[in-house]
Amino acid sequence: MRLSTASLPQLPADIARPRYERGAQAAGIVHFGIGAFHRAHQAWYTDRAMAAGDRDWAITGVSLRSANVARQMNPQDGLYTLTECSAAGNETVVIGSVGRVLVASEEPEAVIAALAAPETRIVTFTITEKGYCRAADGSLEPFLAHHGSVYAFLEQGLRRRRDADLPGLTLLSCDNLADNGRQLERLMAEYLARHDPELGAWVAAHCAFPCSMVDRIVPATTAADRKTVAAATGLEDQGAVMTEPFSQWVIEDKFAGPRPAWEAVGAQLVGDVAPYEAAKLRMLNGAHSALAYLGLEHGHAFVHEAVADPAIRPLIERLMRVEAQPTIAAAPGQDLDAYAEALLARFANPALQHRLIQIAMDGSQKIPQRWLETLAANQAEGRHCPAILSALAAWMRHVRGDNAVNWGPVDDPMAVRLADLWREEGPGGMPRALFGEHGLFAATWRASAGDFESLAEHLGQRV
Ligand code: CS2
C-alpha cells in the first residue's frame, strides 16, 4: 500500500508523522525545484515549524519540466518520508509540509496563480546552479532565460500581484551560489529590464531577496532505499529521501513580509550570511568536487571511499584547511577548524552512499564558487594552491571524457563546448582557453605562469 493521508494510520507507532492539521494549512510558500534536496532541507524545517505551532506555511512545489516528482508525490497527498542515515542506524519520519506539486511546463497557469495567490508570501528556490541561466561571466543568458525559465513564471506571477495590489514576495534562493540572494535579485532585474522595466521597479520596491546558506548532504534516492523505507514503514513511498543527521540553514534576516519561525527549529537568522556561505562553498563543496573528480579517477564510487583513500585524503585536508580556510573571515563564534574536522567526519559516513558521479555533474557551474574564487583570493595574497590545481586538472580530464567509459557521458550544460575546446586546443592550449586572459572563466580567476605550468604538468604536457 502507498503512503497517503488515508494510509497514515497504518504506520508503525514509532514513526513520527505530521502533528498539525494538514488539510487546514494555507499554502504560504511556493518552491521551485522540488527535488530530494528541498524535501530533506527547507520542507523539513517548515514541517517542524508547523509542528511547533506555526500555521499556513504549506508548500506548493513546482518542477519546471519533469513530471517525475509530481507523479511520486501527488498520489501520496504530498506526504513523503525522510530517513536520517548514520553508522548508528536509520531513523525515518513522515513529512507533511508539501501540499501539492505542479509541473510548470504542463500547467503554467496553475504556477502563475500560485505565485499570485494572496496567501503566498515566500518563494524558495533549489533550481541548481544552471537554473539561474547565467553566462560564463555571471550575467543573464537571455536565450536560456526566455524558454520556460523561472524568471518567466516569476514575471507573470509578480505582475498579477502588482495589478491586484497585493504585497510583494520574499524570493529566497537556497542554491549553492555565492551571494545567492543578491545574484537572484540582479538576474531578475536584468530579465525585467528587458521585458517590463516598470514591473522591475515595483519588484525592487516590494520584494526582498535574502541570501541563505543551505547545508545537508542528500544522495539521490535509489530503488534499494525505497525498499529499506518500505520495510521500516510497511508502506511504499515513491517520494522517499535519504539524508545525514546533520543540517544547517543560515538565512539573511531580510524578508518582505511574514515568514515561518524557522529559527525556532534550528535555522539561524543573521545579518550577514557571507562568512557561512564562503565556508560552505569553499570548504564543503570545494572538497566535495575534488573528491568527485579525483575519486572517480581512482576507481571509487562513493564519497566515503574517496575520503578514506590515502592518495586523496591529504589533498582534501589541504584544500580545506590550508587553501580555503585562510580566505574566509569567520563570523563571531564560527570555528573553521572545527568545521573542517566535522566535514571530514560527515564525508566518512558509510551509511550515506553518496555517489561521486552525482557531485561531478554540472562542474562548469560549480567550480567558480567552489575553487576559482579561492584561487583568486589566494593569488591576491601570493599563496599557491597545489591541491585545488590538481583537482582542477582532474575536472579538466573529466570533461575531456576520461571517466566516460566507467561513468557515462559528461553531464554538464557546457559539455559540448568544453569537448570542442579540448579538440581545438589539446592539453597544451586548454588551460589558457579556460583560465587565460580571455579564457572562459577569466571573470572569476586568471591563472599565473606558475599555475599554467602546474596544470600542464598535471595534464602530462610541458608548457
Ligand atoms: C554536492 C552538494 O552535488 C554536489 O555538488 O557538493 O549537493 C552537497 O552535498 C550539498 O551542498 C551539501 O549541503
Side-chain angles (χ1 to χ4, degrees), residues 176 214-217 280 284-285 288 354 358-359 366 370:
N176 285 323
V214 294
D215 187 9
R216 196 166 210 188
I217 294 173
K280 160 75 185 352
L284 188 160
N285 295 119
H288 247 177
H354 193 194
Q358 181 183 341
I359 302 170
K366 295 174 175 175
R370 296 182 179 204

Side-chain angles (χ1 to χ4, degrees), residues 278-295 297 311-328 363 366-380 383-398 431 434-435 441 444-448 450-459:
K280 160 75 185 352
L281 291 169
R282 295 179 188 180
M283 293 174 73
L284 188 160
N285 295 119
H288 247 177
S289 289
L291 285 164
Y293 302 116
L294 295 165
E297 286 189 338
I312 299 176
R313 189 181 178 96
L315 277 174
I316 299 304
E317 294 208 27
R318 189 188 153 89
L319 184 152
M320 286 201 288
R321 296 188 210 270
V322 183
E323 299 180 5
Q325 196 173 320
T327 69
I328 302 155
K366 295 174 175 175
I367 62 162
Q369 59 277 13
R370 296 182 179 204
W371 295 342
L372 306 186
E373 286 181 2
T374 311
L375 287 168
N378 278 294
Q379 193 173 50
R383 290 188 298 252
H384 298 289
C385 296
I388 297 185
L389 288 179
S390 78
L392 200 54
W395 170 72
M396 290 169 70
R397 293 189 291 265
H398 180 80
L434 299 179
F435 311 115
F441 294 97
T444 317
W445 174 67
R446 291 179 202 179
S448 67
D451 297 324
F452 281 127
E453 219 165 276
S454 140
L455 284 172
E457 232 164 74
H458 281 301
L459 296 171

Side-chain angles (χ1 to χ4, degrees), residues 4-30:
S4 70
T5 309
S7 66
L8 265 183
Q10 320 255 348
L11 281 173
D14 61 335
I15 306 255
R17 65 209 72 186
R19 285 184 278 123
Y20 48 92
E21 209 187 319
R22 291 186 71 233
Q25 304 305 313
I29 299 175
V30 173

Side-chain angles (χ1 to χ4, degrees), residues 127-131 134 175-177 289 293 356-370 395 398-399 409-415 418 441:
I127 49 179
T128 80
E129 295 85 346
K130 66 183 166 215
R134 294 169 308 157
D175 279 295
N176 285 323
L177 299 173
S289 289
Y293 302 116
L356 297 168
I357 196 69
Q358 181 183 341
I359 302 170
M361 192 174 75
D362 294 345
S364 68
Q365 310 292 301
K366 295 174 175 175
I367 62 162
Q369 59 277 13
R370 296 182 179 204
W395 170 72
H398 180 80
V399 299
V410 177
D411 188 350
D412 190 302
M414 285 193 179
L418 291 165
F441 294 97

